[in-house]
Amino acid sequence: MISLEKVYKRYGSIQALSNVSLQLPQGKIIGLCGPNGSGKTTLIKILTGLISEYQGSVRINDFEIGEQSKAIVSYLPDVNYIDSRQSPKQMKAYFSDMYPDFDAEKFDRLLVSLKLDANQNFGSLSKGMKEKLQLALVMSRKAKVYILDEPIGGVDPAARELILKTILDNYESDSLVLLSTHLIGDIEQIFDQVIFLKDGEVNLYDDVETLRQQHNQSIDGLFREVFRNA
């Protein structure tokens, strides 16, 4: 579903990505893990078309990054993207107009399950509620690829559990979920595969069960070992 071949990205003297080659299949939830400065954000921005200047080949569902790839990617950034004056009801109308694959009825069901008021302005919501609303919008699309950047960052453990359940229950079964996080211990149970980025390079990519058996420890424990001095 996602193909990267020898991808390089440099910011001045800083090599953000170096020789990144990955083949990511559909039907999987894949963790994208690494410390700050490892290249996670740069990789996500390339996949979502926010960065267009790089070396190498990047394709999503065999499309080069562009209008066709963007149409099948549902992206949750790690910053708020909703105007503080907008309500969930208004955002539903906006997403319905913007994305042909947006399922308004599914969004309504998610509002109920996440206990969100359709008429409450975004600016008046708590941080956890804001995270839930933005996730509900992203997961209400029938996308081929969901790219979620730190979806549980800064929310309490109860909210994290509900957010993870929302992801598991609502992504399309034949799609790919690429989820960036530094809270591996709280989220590794939903991963099918995991990528470790270190200094802009792929340090590790494999099935999580294979890694647990090979290293006789959790993915969180393995992460701490690999990045102990990072």
Side-chain angles (χ1 to χ4, degrees):
M1 182 59 73
I2 292 178
S3 172
L4 300 107
E5 297 287 349
K6 298 181 179 179
V7 175
Y8 292 81
K9 174 60 183 178
R10 177 180 288 275
Y11 301 102
S13 62
I14 299 172
Q15 190 72 49
L17 294 176
S18 179
N19 196 29
V20 173
S21 294
L22 290 164
Q23 301 294 324
L24 308 182
Q26 65 186 66
K28 302 288 185 182
I29 298 179
I30 302 176
L32 178 62
C33 308
N36 291 336
S38 62
K40 301 191 306 296
T41 297
T42 296
L43 180 57
I44 285 173
K45 287 184 175 181
I46 288 174
L47 292 171
T48 54
L50 296 174
I51 291 176
S52 57
E53 294 184 3
Y54 57 88
Q55 293 177 294
S57 171
V58 182
R59 303 182 75 88
I60 297 178
N61 200 30
D62 211 27
F63 297 124
E64 293 184 354
I65 303 302
E67 185 175 338
Q68 290 175 301
S69 72
K70 292 178 182 178
I72 59 174
V73 172
S74 192
Y75 171 45
L76 177 68
D78 64 345
V79 295
N80 294 334
Y81 62 87
I82 298 175
D83 188 300
S84 62
R85 298 164 295 181
Q86 299 294 305
S87 67
K89 183 177 180 180
Q90 291 170 312
M91 290 307 299
K92 180 177 76 170
Y94 174 77
F95 266 60
S96 295
D97 288 341
M98 181 67 67
Y99 302 108
D101 62 1
F102 183 74
D103 187 336
E105 292 182 359
K106 183 177 184 179
F107 179 68
D108 287 339
R109 293 194 298 271
L110 283 173
L111 289 184
V112 173
S113 66
L114 295 171
K115 299 180 181 179
L116 293 167
D117 184 342
N119 296 301
Q120 187 173 0
N121 288 349
F122 185 75
S124 66
L125 297 175
S126 67
K127 181 174 178 57
M129 287 296 189
K130 288 176 179 176
E131 296 281 357
K132 292 174 187 176
L133 174 56
Q134 294 180 127
L135 181 67
L137 287 163
V138 168
M139 300 309 297
S140 292
R141 290 184 55 196
K142 297 178 181 177
K144 292 291 186 182
V145 176
Y146 300 88
I147 298 178
L148 313 177
D149 194 357
E150 298 287 355
I152 61 171
V155 299
D156 62 75
R160 290 175 193 172
E161 185 175 339
L162 186 55
I163 286 171
L164 295 183
K165 185 177 187 302
T166 300
I167 294 169
L168 282 171
D169 291 348
N170 291 281
Y171 80 99
E172 298 294 312
S173 60
D174 62 346
S175 64
L176 163 64
V177 178
L178 183 64
L179 194 158
S180 170
T181 185
H182 65 281
L183 299 170
I184 300 172
D186 294 311
I187 204 169
E188 70 169 85
Q189 72 270 19
I190 76 168
F191 292 156
D192 298 304
Q193 299 179 338
V194 68
I195 302 162
F196 284 1
L197 281 184
K198 187 174 183 180
D199 299 326
E201 299 181 354
V202 177
N203 175 271
L204 175 154
Y205 169 50
D206 211 333
D207 293 333
V208 294
E209 287 305 321
T210 299
L211 292 170
R212 289 181 182 126
Q213 292 174 13
Q214 286 179 346
H215 298 273
N216 196 30
Q217 60 182 324
S218 67
I219 301 302
D220 186 42
L222 181 59
F223 180 86
R224 293 172 188 271
E225 179 180 299
V226 170
F227 295 100
R228 182 173 294 129
N229 298 316

